[in-house]
Amino acid sequence: MSDQVNTTAQSKFQNNLEIMLQQRQSLIYVHASGPVDAAGSEKVDLKDFLGAVKVQKGSDRHGDTKYTNTPHERVWVTKPVEGYVADLVDRNDKLATNINIGSGYMIAQRDAINRHWDDQSLFGLYGTMITGKDGTTLTPLAGGMTVPVTQGGAAGPQRMNLDKLRTARKILAQNYNDMQQERFIVLTAEQQDDLLKDVQLTSEDFKSLGAQINAQTGNFTRILGWNIIEMELSNPMLDASSLTVDGSGYRRNPFWVKDGLAAVEWEKLFAVGGDKLPTKRYSEQYFASSTVATTRTQSGKVGIILNSEA
């Protein structure tokens, strides 16, 4: 970082500090259910689920009781590795600039932690659930929860369209989800642009579709009951970005119901700033870390829409 700070020192800042273009807020993690406090454990039994049962019918007098064997399922989450950001501010760098470099580093670290939370959310949405009595069964994202790339067109790969949103909603409903709860979908700028070209969504004649456009950004925030999260899934700052595209290069846009993504926290945030290190000639240390994870809660609550961006 010293070269970057020296470059800063060559310019005369007027007590201004600007952060380079980047995703700065947590966009997905804030919509996960929970969080569950997992401090002190390596593996957490997140939830125990009871399966569906059917009523028995009895019309005979003094007949035998028929007992139901209620199915059980259990979801686990293992402790992830800590995600952290650390930096040093040299005393000479502080003397050579007219900005508070330390506070700038803390802002940059805050932004990095926010992205880390979303990174962990993407791993939870796309990754495998840990299930079973002892937490030894790995359950991948169900194939039946995928809206095909060909949906909504006569032939061939299709870009994002209204029909895909309708199909995703139908998939959740057919899996017996509570459709009264919030539903979310992550779209990149490409999919937002595709939908903005759809006359059905932008015309005054189709208000029944419930399309809402943010007057400031010009982007959709809600369509057909979907809460739209706009996020660049190929952001190279995200370790999970490789999961957002399939082997054919199609975008994998995740969707879920509110209780379909759960957050588990061992330590949501640990941060220190301004500690002077004698071993580094009293440079100041700035450090932030987070240990969190997410998981799908049930197979029928999370899916993906495949979209062409060609």
Side-chain angles (χ1 to χ4, degrees), residues 113-144:
I113 293 298
N114 280 333
R115 289 192 299 272
H116 173 67
W117 291 338
D118 280 357
D119 220 358
Q120 295 299 90
S121 299
L122 290 173
F123 281 121
L125 287 168
Y126 291 111
T128 56
M129 285 193 303
I130 304 176
T131 60
K133 180 179 178 181
D134 301 316
T136 56
T137 303
L138 300 180
T139 305
L141 188 66

PDB file of all heavy atoms in Angstrom, residues 113-144:
ATOM      1  N   ILE A 113     -15.975  -5.850   4.033  1.00  0.00           N
ATOM      2  CA  ILE A 113     -16.750  -6.756   4.885  1.00  0.00           C
ATOM      3  C   ILE A 113     -18.180  -6.883   4.355  1.00  0.00           C
ATOM      4  O   ILE A 113     -18.759  -7.980   4.329  1.00  0.00           O
ATOM      5  CB  ILE A 113     -16.753  -6.270   6.340  1.00  0.00           C
ATOM      6  CG1 ILE A 113     -15.345  -6.359   6.942  1.00  0.00           C
ATOM      7  CG2 ILE A 113     -17.741  -7.080   7.180  1.00  0.00           C
ATOM      8  CD1 ILE A 113     -14.774  -7.763   7.015  1.00  0.00           C
ATOM      9  N   ASN A 114     -18.763  -5.779   3.899  1.00  0.00           N
ATOM     10  CA  ASN A 114     -20.105  -5.833   3.306  1.00  0.00           C
ATOM     11  C   ASN A 114     -20.136  -6.779   2.109  1.00  0.00           C
ATOM     12  O   ASN A 114     -21.077  -7.557   1.939  1.00  0.00           O
ATOM     13  CB  ASN A 114     -20.551  -4.435   2.879  1.00  0.00           C
ATOM     14  CG  ASN A 114     -21.079  -3.612   4.042  1.00  0.00           C
ATOM     15  OD1 ASN A 114     -21.574  -4.153   5.017  1.00  0.00           O
ATOM     16  ND2 ASN A 114     -20.973  -2.304   3.947  1.00  0.00           N
ATOM     17  N   ARG A 115     -19.113  -6.700   1.261  1.00  0.00           N
ATOM     18  CA  ARG A 115     -19.042  -7.603   0.102  1.00  0.00           C
ATOM     19  C   ARG A 115     -18.824  -9.046   0.560  1.00  0.00           C
ATOM     20  O   ARG A 115     -19.341  -9.981  -0.055  1.00  0.00           O
ATOM     21  CB  ARG A 115     -17.932  -7.165  -0.854  1.00  0.00           C
ATOM     22  CG  ARG A 115     -18.225  -5.886  -1.625  1.00  0.00           C
ATOM     23  CD  ARG A 115     -17.230  -5.675  -2.754  1.00  0.00           C
ATOM     24  NE  ARG A 115     -15.865  -5.559  -2.274  1.00  0.00           N
ATOM     25  CZ  ARG A 115     -15.293  -4.422  -1.898  1.00  0.00           C
ATOM     26  NH1 ARG A 115     -15.985  -3.288  -1.925  1.00  0.00           N
ATOM     27  NH2 ARG A 115     -14.043  -4.386  -1.491  1.00  0.00           N
ATOM     28  N   HIS A 116     -18.043  -9.220   1.615  1.00  0.00           N
ATOM     29  CA  HIS A 116     -17.802 -10.567   2.140  1.00  0.00           C
ATOM     30  C   HIS A 116     -19.108 -11.209   2.582  1.00  0.00           C
ATOM     31  O   HIS A 116     -19.346 -12.405   2.338  1.00  0.00           O
ATOM     32  CB  HIS A 116     -16.821 -10.496   3.316  1.00  0.00           C
ATOM     33  CG  HIS A 116     -16.624 -11.788   4.036  1.00  0.00           C
ATOM     34  ND1 HIS A 116     -15.998 -12.882   3.450  1.00  0.00           N
ATOM     35  CD2 HIS A 116     -16.984 -12.194   5.286  1.00  0.00           C
ATOM     36  CE1 HIS A 116     -15.974 -13.891   4.300  1.00  0.00           C
ATOM     37  NE2 HIS A 116     -16.567 -13.505   5.417  1.00  0.00           N
ATOM     38  N   TRP A 117     -19.979 -10.438   3.223  1.00  0.00           N
ATOM     39  CA  TRP A 117     -21.279 -10.982   3.641  1.00  0.00           C
ATOM     40  C   TRP A 117     -22.087 -11.450   2.438  1.00  0.00           C
ATOM     41  O   TRP A 117     -22.737 -12.494   2.479  1.00  0.00           O
ATOM     42  CB  TRP A 117     -22.059  -9.929   4.424  1.00  0.00           C
ATOM     43  CG  TRP A 117     -21.474  -9.621   5.772  1.00  0.00           C
ATOM     44  CD1 TRP A 117     -20.641 -10.414   6.519  1.00  0.00           C
ATOM     45  CD2 TRP A 117     -21.672  -8.435   6.548  1.00  0.00           C
ATOM     46  NE1 TRP A 117     -20.305  -9.796   7.696  1.00  0.00           N
ATOM     47  CE2 TRP A 117     -20.929  -8.577   7.751  1.00  0.00           C
ATOM     48  CE3 TRP A 117     -22.406  -7.265   6.348  1.00  0.00           C
ATOM     49  CZ2 TRP A 117     -20.908  -7.588   8.735  1.00  0.00           C
ATOM     50  CZ3 TRP A 117     -22.384  -6.288   7.331  1.00  0.00           C
ATOM     51  CH2 TRP A 117     -21.637  -6.451   8.510  1.00  0.00           C
ATOM     52  N   ASP A 118     -22.055 -10.682   1.357  1.00  0.00           N
ATOM     53  CA  ASP A 118     -22.769 -11.090   0.147  1.00  0.00           C
ATOM     54  C   ASP A 118     -22.105 -12.296  -0.506  1.00  0.00           C
ATOM     55  O   ASP A 118     -22.779 -13.158  -1.072  1.00  0.00           O
ATOM     56  CB  ASP A 118     -22.847  -9.928  -0.844  1.00  0.00           C
ATOM     57  CG  ASP A 118     -23.952  -8.942  -0.491  1.00  0.00           C
ATOM     58  OD1 ASP A 118     -24.681  -9.195   0.487  1.00  0.00           O
ATOM     59  OD2 ASP A 118     -24.088  -7.928  -1.195  1.00  0.00           O
ATOM     60  N   ASP A 119     -20.781 -12.343  -0.449  1.00  0.00           N
ATOM     61  CA  ASP A 119     -20.054 -13.499  -0.969  1.00  0.00           C
ATOM     62  C   ASP A 119     -20.514 -14.769  -0.263  1.00  0.00           C
ATOM     63  O   ASP A 119     -20.810 -15.790  -0.900  1.00  0.00           O
ATOM     64  CB  ASP A 119     -18.552 -13.294  -0.749  1.00  0.00           C
ATOM     65  CG  ASP A 119     -17.723 -13.766  -1.926  1.00  0.00           C
ATOM     66  OD1 ASP A 119     -18.291 -14.284  -2.907  1.00  0.00           O
ATOM     67  OD2 ASP A 119     -16.491 -13.616  -1.874  1.00  0.00           O
ATOM     68  N   GLN A 120     -20.590 -14.717   1.052  1.00  0.00           N
ATOM     69  CA  GLN A 120     -21.044 -15.866   1.826  1.00  0.00           C
ATOM     70  C   GLN A 120     -22.500 -16.206   1.512  1.00  0.00           C
ATOM     71  O   GLN A 120     -22.890 -17.376   1.536  1.00  0.00           O
ATOM     72  CB  GLN A 120     -20.870 -15.594   3.321  1.00  0.00           C
ATOM     73  CG  GLN A 120     -19.421 -15.431   3.770  1.00  0.00           C
ATOM     74  CD  GLN A 120     -18.587 -16.662   3.505  1.00  0.00           C
ATOM     75  OE1 GLN A 120     -17.974 -16.820   2.443  1.00  0.00           O
ATOM     76  NE2 GLN A 120     -18.568 -17.576   4.457  1.00  0.00           N
ATOM     77  N   SER A 121     -23.287 -15.186   1.191  1.00  0.00           N
ATOM     78  CA  SER A 121     -24.686 -15.425   0.818  1.00  0.00           C
ATOM     79  C   SER A 121     -24.777 -16.176  -0.502  1.00  0.00           C
ATOM     80  O   SER A 121     -25.606 -17.083  -0.662  1.00  0.00           O
ATOM     81  CB  SER A 121     -25.436 -14.091   0.710  1.00  0.00           C
ATOM     82  OG  SER A 121     -25.428 -13.403   1.937  1.00  0.00           O
ATOM     83  N   LEU A 122     -23.938 -15.807  -1.459  1.00  0.00           N
ATOM     84  CA  LEU A 122     -23.947 -16.494  -2.752  1.00  0.00           C
ATOM     85  C   LEU A 122     -23.507 -17.952  -2.602  1.00  0.00           C
ATOM     86  O   LEU A 122     -24.069 -18.851  -3.235  1.00  0.00           O
ATOM     87  CB  LEU A 122     -23.035 -15.767  -3.741  1.00  0.00           C
ATOM     88  CG  LEU A 122     -23.530 -14.395  -4.211  1.00  0.00           C
ATOM     89  CD1 LEU A 122     -22.464 -13.701  -5.061  1.00  0.00           C
ATOM     90  CD2 LEU A 122     -24.833 -14.520  -4.998  1.00  0.00           C
ATOM     91  N   PHE A 123     -22.500 -18.195  -1.772  1.00  0.00           N
ATOM     92  CA  PHE A 123     -22.093 -19.582  -1.524  1.00  0.00           C
ATOM     93  C   PHE A 123     -23.241 -20.388  -0.925  1.00  0.00           C
ATOM     94  O   PHE A 123     -23.422 -21.558  -1.236  1.00  0.00           O
ATOM     95  CB  PHE A 123     -20.874 -19.623  -0.589  1.00  0.00           C
ATOM     96  CG  PHE A 123     -19.567 -19.339  -1.272  1.00  0.00           C
ATOM     97  CD1 PHE A 123     -18.782 -18.272  -0.867  1.00  0.00           C
ATOM     98  CD2 PHE A 123     -19.125 -20.132  -2.320  1.00  0.00           C
ATOM     99  CE1 PHE A 123     -17.567 -18.003  -1.499  1.00  0.00           C
ATOM    100  CE2 PHE A 123     -17.910 -19.873  -2.960  1.00  0.00           C
ATOM    101  CZ  PHE A 123     -17.132 -18.801  -2.540  1.00  0.00           C
ATOM    102  N   GLY A 124     -24.031 -19.744  -0.067  1.00  0.00           N
ATOM    103  CA  GLY A 124     -25.173 -20.430   0.525  1.00  0.00           C
ATOM    104  C   GLY A 124     -26.272 -20.707  -0.483  1.00  0.00           C
ATOM    105  O   GLY A 124     -26.894 -21.777  -0.467  1.00  0.00           O
ATOM    106  N   LEU A 125     -26.521 -19.762  -1.386  1.00  0.00           N
ATOM    107  CA  LEU A 125     -27.573 -19.937  -2.387  1.00  0.00           C
ATOM    108  C   LEU A 125     -27.205 -20.992  -3.423  1.00  0.00           C
ATOM    109  O   LEU A 125     -28.042 -21.816  -3.812  1.00  0.00           O
ATOM    110  CB  LEU A 125     -27.840 -18.599  -3.090  1.00  0.00           C
ATOM    111  CG  LEU A 125     -28.574 -17.533  -2.280  1.00  0.00           C
ATOM    112  CD1 LEU A 125     -28.512 -16.181  -3.001  1.00  0.00           C
ATOM    113  CD2 LEU A 125     -30.027 -17.938  -2.035  1.00  0.00           C
ATOM    114  N   TYR A 126     -25.968 -20.974  -3.899  1.00  0.00           N
ATOM    115  CA  TYR A 126     -25.560 -21.876  -4.967  1.00  0.00           C
ATOM    116  C   TYR A 126     -24.980 -23.201  -4.466  1.00  0.00           C
ATOM    117  O   TYR A 126     -24.971 -24.191  -5.196  1.00  0.00           O
ATOM    118  CB  TYR A 126     -24.487 -21.215  -5.833  1.00  0.00           C
ATOM    119  CG  TYR A 126     -24.951 -20.050  -6.663  1.00  0.00           C
ATOM    120  CD1 TYR A 126     -24.531 -18.764  -6.376  1.00  0.00           C
ATOM    121  CD2 TYR A 126     -25.802 -20.235  -7.741  1.00  0.00           C
ATOM    122  CE1 TYR A 126     -24.939 -17.680  -7.158  1.00  0.00           C
ATOM    123  CE2 TYR A 126     -26.224 -19.161  -8.527  1.00  0.00           C
ATOM    124  CZ  TYR A 126     -25.783 -17.892  -8.215  1.00  0.00           C
ATOM    125  OH  TYR A 126     -26.187 -16.829  -8.985  1.00  0.00           O
ATOM    126  N   GLY A 127     -24.469 -23.219  -3.251  1.00  0.00           N
ATOM    127  CA  GLY A 127     -23.714 -24.377  -2.771  1.00  0.00           C
ATOM    128  C   GLY A 127     -24.577 -25.528  -2.312  1.00  0.00           C
ATOM    129  O   GLY A 127     -25.779 -25.612  -2.600  1.00  0.00           O
ATOM    130  N   THR A 128     -23.967 -26.435  -1.559  1.00  0.00           N
ATOM    131  CA  THR A 128     -24.659 -27.625  -1.066  1.00  0.00           C
ATOM    132  C   THR A 128     -25.160 -27.399   0.360  1.00  0.00           C
ATOM    133  O   THR A 128     -24.485 -26.755   1.169  1.00  0.00           O
ATOM    134  CB  THR A 128     -23.735 -28.853  -1.080  1.00  0.00           C
ATOM    135  OG1 THR A 128     -22.559 -28.555  -0.319  1.00  0.00           O
ATOM    136  CG2 THR A 128     -23.338 -29.204  -2.493  1.00  0.00           C
ATOM    137  N   MET A 129     -26.340 -27.903   0.629  1.00  0.00           N
ATOM    138  CA  MET A 129     -26.831 -27.935   2.008  1.00  0.00           C
ATOM    139  C   MET A 129     -26.228 -29.148   2.708  1.00  0.00           C
ATOM    140  O   MET A 129     -25.995 -30.186   2.083  1.00  0.00           O
ATOM    141  CB  MET A 129     -28.350 -28.061   2.036  1.00  0.00           C
ATOM    142  CG  MET A 129     -29.118 -26.822   1.696  1.00  0.00           C
ATOM    143  SD  MET A 129     -30.884 -27.011   2.143  1.00  0.00           S
ATOM    144  CE  MET A 129     -31.339 -28.480   1.222  1.00  0.00           C
ATOM    145  N   ILE A 130     -25.988 -29.011   4.006  1.00  0.00           N
ATOM    146  CA  ILE A 130     -25.549 -30.146   4.822  1.00  0.00           C
ATOM    147  C   ILE A 130     -26.756 -30.616   5.607  1.00  0.00           C
ATOM    148  O   ILE A 130     -27.311 -29.868   6.417  1.00  0.00           O
ATOM    149  CB  ILE A 130     -24.409 -29.742   5.769  1.00  0.00           C
ATOM    150  CG1 ILE A 130     -23.243 -29.144   4.982  1.00  0.00           C
ATOM    151  CG2 ILE A 130     -23.940 -30.944   6.581  1.00  0.00           C
ATOM    152  CD1 ILE A 130     -22.123 -28.625   5.849  1.00  0.00           C
ATOM    153  N   THR A 131     -27.195 -31.844   5.349  1.00  0.00           N
ATOM    154  CA  THR A 131     -28.400 -32.361   5.973  1.00  0.00           C
ATOM    155  C   THR A 131     -28.123 -33.722   6.611  1.00  0.00           C
ATOM    156  O   THR A 131     -26.988 -34.190   6.644  1.00  0.00           O
ATOM    157  CB  THR A 131     -29.536 -32.497   4.935  1.00  0.00           C
ATOM    158  OG1 THR A 131     -29.117 -33.407   3.897  1.00  0.00           O
ATOM    159  CG2 THR A 131     -29.850 -31.152   4.295  1.00  0.00           C
ATOM    160  N   GLY A 132     -29.177 -34.335   7.122  1.00  0.00           N
ATOM    161  CA  GLY A 132     -29.064 -35.660   7.721  1.00  0.00           C
ATOM    162  C   GLY A 132     -28.969 -35.601   9.228  1.00  0.00           C
ATOM    163  O   GLY A 132     -28.699 -34.549   9.830  1.00  0.00           O
ATOM    164  N   LYS A 133     -29.171 -36.740   9.865  1.00  0.00           N
ATOM    165  CA  LYS A 133     -29.173 -36.840  11.323  1.00  0.00           C
ATOM    166  C   LYS A 133     -27.869 -36.356  11.923  1.00  0.00           C
ATOM    167  O   LYS A 133     -27.851 -35.650  12.948  1.00  0.00           O
ATOM    168  CB  LYS A 133     -29.441 -38.286  11.740  1.00  0.00           C
ATOM    169  CG  LYS A 133     -29.472 -38.495  13.238  1.00  0.00           C
ATOM    170  CD  LYS A 133     -29.760 -39.949  13.575  1.00  0.00           C
ATOM    171  CE  LYS A 133     -29.754 -40.167  15.084  1.00  0.00           C
ATOM    172  NZ  LYS A 133     -30.019 -41.582  15.443  1.00  0.00           N
ATOM    173  N   ASP A 134     -26.751 -36.716  11.297  1.00  0.00           N
ATOM    174  CA  ASP A 134     -25.431 -36.356  11.822  1.00  0.00           C
ATOM    175  C   ASP A 134     -24.739 -35.281  10.996  1.00  0.00           C
ATOM    176  O   ASP A 134     -23.564 -34.989  11.223  1.00  0.00           O
ATOM    177  CB  ASP A 134     -24.540 -37.599  11.888  1.00  0.00           C
ATOM    178  CG  ASP A 134     -25.140 -38.682  12.767  1.00  0.00           C
ATOM    179  OD1 ASP A 134     -25.638 -38.334  13.858  1.00  0.00           O
ATOM    180  OD2 ASP A 134     -25.124 -39.856  12.355  1.00  0.00           O
ATOM    181  N   GLY A 135     -25.450 -34.708  10.044  1.00  0.00           N
ATOM    182  CA  GLY A 135     -24.850 -33.666   9.219  1.00  0.00           C
ATOM    183  C   GLY A 135     -23.790 -34.179   8.275  1.00  0.00           C
ATOM    184  O   GLY A 135     -22.740 -33.552   8.099  1.00  0.00           O
ATOM    185  N   THR A 136     -24.057 -35.318   7.635  1.00  0.00           N
ATOM    186  CA  THR A 136     -23.079 -35.917   6.723  1.00  0.00           C
ATOM    187  C   THR A 136     -23.583 -35.999   5.285  1.00  0.00           C
ATOM    188  O   THR A 136     -22.850 -36.440   4.403  1.00  0.00           O
ATOM    189  CB  THR A 136     -22.697 -37.328   7.206  1.00  0.00           C
ATOM    190  OG1 THR A 136     -23.889 -38.114   7.323  1.00  0.00           O
ATOM    191  CG2 THR A 136     -22.004 -37.260   8.559  1.00  0.00           C
ATOM    192  N   THR A 137     -24.814 -35.589   5.054  1.00  0.00           N
ATOM    193  CA  THR A 137     -25.388 -35.668   3.705  1.00  0.00           C
ATOM    194  C   THR A 137     -25.274 -34.318   3.016  1.00  0.00           C
ATOM    195  O   THR A 137     -25.686 -33.288   3.557  1.00  0.00           O
ATOM    196  CB  THR A 137     -26.875 -36.078   3.764  1.00  0.00           C
ATOM    197  OG1 THR A 137     -26.994 -37.326   4.457  1.00  0.00           O
ATOM    198  CG2 THR A 137     -27.445 -36.216   2.362  1.00  0.00           C
ATOM    199  N   LEU A 138     -24.698 -34.308   1.817  1.00  0.00           N
ATOM    200  CA  LEU A 138     -24.553 -33.083   1.041  1.00  0.00           C
ATOM    201  C   LEU A 138     -25.643 -33.041  -0.016  1.00  0.00           C
ATOM    202  O   LEU A 138     -25.755 -33.946  -0.848  1.00  0.00           O
ATOM    203  CB  LEU A 138     -23.172 -33.012   0.383  1.00  0.00           C
ATOM    204  CG  LEU A 138     -21.976 -33.035   1.343  1.00  0.00           C
ATOM    205  CD1 LEU A 138     -20.666 -32.951   0.567  1.00  0.00           C
ATOM    206  CD2 LEU A 138     -22.068 -31.904   2.357  1.00  0.00           C
ATOM    207  N   THR A 139     -26.440 -31.981   0.012  1.00  0.00           N
ATOM    208  CA  THR A 139     -27.572 -31.860  -0.894  1.00  0.00           C
ATOM    209  C   THR A 139     -27.355 -30.677  -1.832  1.00  0.00           C
ATOM    210  O   THR A 139     -27.406 -29.524  -1.390  1.00  0.00           O
ATOM    211  CB  THR A 139     -28.887 -31.657  -0.110  1.00  0.00           C
ATOM    212  OG1 THR A 139     -29.038 -32.727   0.832  1.00  0.00           O
ATOM    213  CG2 THR A 139     -30.073 -31.619  -1.046  1.00  0.00           C
ATOM    214  N   PRO A 140     -27.096 -30.933  -3.129  1.00  0.00           N
ATOM    215  CA  PRO A 140     -26.875 -29.830  -4.077  1.00  0.00           C
ATOM    216  C   PRO A 140     -28.183 -29.121  -4.419  1.00  0.00           C
ATOM    217  O   PRO A 140     -29.274 -29.598  -4.076  1.00  0.00           O
ATOM    218  CB  PRO A 140     -26.295 -30.527  -5.300  1.00  0.00           C
ATOM    219  CG  PRO A 140     -26.866 -31.911  -5.245  1.00  0.00           C
ATOM    220  CD  PRO A 140     -26.971 -32.252  -3.780  1.00  0.00           C
ATOM    221  N   LEU A 141     -28.062 -28.013  -5.100  1.00  0.00           N
ATOM    222  CA  LEU A 141     -29.229 -27.267  -5.565  1.00  0.00           C
ATOM    223  C   LEU A 141     -30.050 -28.161  -6.490  1.00  0.00           C
ATOM    224  O   LEU A 141     -29.535 -28.737  -7.441  1.00  0.00           O
ATOM    225  CB  LEU A 141     -28.778 -26.015  -6.316  1.00  0.00           C
ATOM    226  CG  LEU A 141     -29.851 -25.006  -6.712  1.00  0.00           C
ATOM    227  CD1 LEU A 141     -30.466 -24.367  -5.482  1.00  0.00           C
ATOM    228  CD2 LEU A 141     -29.254 -23.919  -7.602  1.00  0.00           C
ATOM    229  N   ALA A 142     -31.330 -28.299  -6.194  1.00  0.00           N
ATOM    230  CA  ALA A 142     -32.186 -29.223  -6.942  1.00  0.00           C
ATOM    231  C   ALA A 142     -32.351 -28.791  -8.394  1.00  0.00           C
ATOM    232  O   ALA A 142     -32.604 -27.620  -8.676  1.00  0.00           O
ATOM    233  CB  ALA A 142     -33.549 -29.320  -6.262  1.00  0.00           C
ATOM    234  N   GLY A 143     -32.218 -29.753  -9.315  1.00  0.00           N
ATOM    235  CA  GLY A 143     -32.360 -29.451 -10.734  1.00  0.00           C
ATOM    236  C   GLY A 143     -33.740 -28.951 -11.103  1.00  0.00           C
ATOM    237  O   GLY A 143     -33.910 -28.160 -12.025  1.00  0.00           O
ATOM    238  N   GLY A 144     -34.754 -29.401 -10.376  1.00  0.00           N
ATOM    239  CA  GLY A 144     -36.116 -28.981 -10.664  1.00  0.00           C
ATOM    240  C   GLY A 144     -36.405 -27.547 -10.288  1.00  0.00           C
ATOM    241  O   GLY A 144     -37.498 -27.036 -10.554  1.00  0.00           O
TER     242      GLY A 144
END
